[in-house]
């Protein structure tokens, strides 16, 4: 018999992201960043930043509201 209790939750990642960095933007730089992030269609800012740093593809999603669906 196994006496180990199941604590629940998800399984831990094999290579967790534990290193953190901080960057400060001016108001103008922040507006540029947020505009790029919005155009990317990504939902996570950290994933967007990593994609930009490591040169992963950058997709811009645009919707033309004047076109009938």
């Amino acid at each position: 018999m196994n006496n180990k209790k199941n604590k629940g939750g998800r399984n831990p990642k094999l290579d967790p992201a534990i290193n953190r960095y901080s960057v400060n933007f001016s108001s103008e730089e922040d507006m540029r960043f947020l505009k790029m992030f919005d155009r990317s269609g990504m939902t996570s800012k950290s994933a967007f930043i990593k994609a930009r740093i490591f040169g992963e593809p950058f997709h811009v999603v645009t919707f033309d509201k004047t076109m009938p669906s």
Side-chain angles (χ1 to χ4, degrees), residues 24-53:
N24 298 322
F25 292 134
S26 67
S27 295
E28 183 179 323
E29 291 168 335
D30 187 50
M31 287 184 353
R32 286 178 57 199
F33 168 74
L34 292 174
K35 189 181 283 189
M36 288 174 58
F37 173 69
D38 287 340
R39 288 180 53 203
S40 73
M42 297 180 89
T43 57
S44 167
K45 289 179 186 170
S46 62
F48 172 74
I49 292 169
K50 285 197 278 187
R52 299 309 323 131
I53 291 173

